[in-house]
Amino acid sequence: MRLEKLETFVVANPPPRHGGRYFIFVRLTTACGITGVGEIYNATFGPELCCAMARDMFGRHFEGANPRHIEKLFRKAYGAGFTQRPDVSVMGVFSGLEMACWDIVGKAADQPVYELLGGRVHDRLRSYSYVYPASGDVYPDPAQPNVYNNAEMAAEVALEMVDQGFTALKFDPAGPFTIYDGHQPRREDISLSAAFCREIRAAVGDRADLLFGTHGQFTVAGAKRLARALEPYDPLWFEEPVPPESPADMAQVAAFTSIPVAAGERLCTKYEFARLIEAGAASILQMNVGRVGGLLEAKKIAGMAETRQVQIAPHLYCGPIVAAANIQIAACSPNFLVLESIGTFDGPYMQGVTGQIEWEDGYIRPSTAPGLGIEIDDEAVARMPYTGTELHLDMAQTHVTP
């Protein structure tokens, strides 16, 4: 087999836009007519520029190549331009093309990708989702009570989610995350965070784990103050308590608190994750297959983590093709903990693809279809152009007022 063609698609994510404003899909075709789909999780530049990057990378390294030669393709992209260092934009683009290669290889072998990466070890995968507004609007008016700023409302939605089948719930009420983080949490942020944990724990009891997120908001001292307030409610994790640049700083928080630290959604390649593991900064790794360097790189990270009793919880705040790729890694990794889902993988979120992600009673069942088990719906995507100018996800542009 050899790769012959690349197509790129920028797909607007319909309201309520859970998973971001848009998705960047790619499709590769071999000379013998086998297609493979992937998704680029590159939020640092506009989507059309990311597609141009993909075309450049494909022309330089992938066109005419055997899609089975994943290691060689990685080294070519990683070392392009005399770089050889983790680069989130390069790896975002590479990840989309790499997972499309695996989709092709799986289809050629008539096997799901997980069977080619060691074989399935989990028949079903525990999943969690954010506590989203009952109205479905992911961006409610912050001046009005909503599940992001009102603990009682969040607890009501959390109970509904548990009744639906979820056994793990994520929320992040500790104030806005900004381009100036880390900062000290305000006293009101600590109080509200503790109230969220208290009210949700009271509502769901021991039926669900609480997953507390912060988006790297705090200084080491600030994260310690917040962790101390959350510990009585026994969250399953304290996510990215400080910005991701310094594993040593995060390790100070991990050593201070009894709450397991989870991190990794903004990191790429095994090299950045190795530093996280070596520092003892996190006991749960949240690689995103659409950014980290693809499926093989994620499998290597899972293997490194396994040697240090560290678990993986693949991150998802992007589209359904990355979701399908995350499922492949989770299914074949012994140290898998829990998988992020966007709700129950139905409704507007899935409109740009065909194929199903089977969610039932809080668990995902890995598809037995060859490859990733999902395809781009060309007709639907043509009706879903992204016409905005905003990036996939933004941070606040001003300091948090003490």
Side-chain angles (χ1 to χ4, degrees), residues 25-40:
F25 296 159
V26 300
R27 181 164 56 208
L28 300 182
T29 305
T30 67
C32 57
I34 304 175
T35 62
V37 300
E39 181 178 347
I40 297 169

Side-chain angles (χ1 to χ4, degrees), residues 3-11 24-30 33-40 51 54-55 58 62 67 93 95-104 107 321 352-354 372 374-382:
L3 297 168
E4 185 174 78
K5 180 182 177 183
L6 164 68
E7 299 167 88
T8 61
F9 308 84
V10 179
V11 184
I24 306 172
F25 296 159
V26 300
R27 181 164 56 208
L28 300 182
T29 305
T30 67
I34 304 175
T35 62
V37 300
E39 181 178 347
I40 297 169
C51 290
R55 290 190 291 271
F58 177 80
F62 284 75
V93 171
S95 296
L97 299 180
E98 192 259 15
M99 72 178 72
C101 286
W102 277 110
D103 193 28
I104 289 170
K107 289 171 180 173
I321 299 179
V353 297
T354 60
L372 298 179
I374 207 163
E375 299 289 346
I376 296 169
D377 186 333
D378 289 68
E379 292 185 3
V381 164

Side-chain angles (χ1 to χ4, degrees), residues 268-284:
C268 61
T269 78
K270 54 186 167 288
Y271 302 109
E272 290 196 321
F273 279 88
R275 290 192 279 271
L276 204 65
I277 295 169
E278 290 163 1
S283 55
I284 301 165

Side-chain angles (χ1 to χ4, degrees), residues 220-252:
V220 170
K224 289 179 177 180
R225 291 173 60 218
L226 180 56
R228 188 170 57 223
L230 304 181
E231 282 181 338
Y233 310 103
D234 194 26
L236 177 60
W237 74 45
F238 190 24
E239 183 174 331
E240 208 179 42
V242 298
E245 296 96 338
S246 175
D249 290 344
M250 193 176 292
Q252 291 186 53

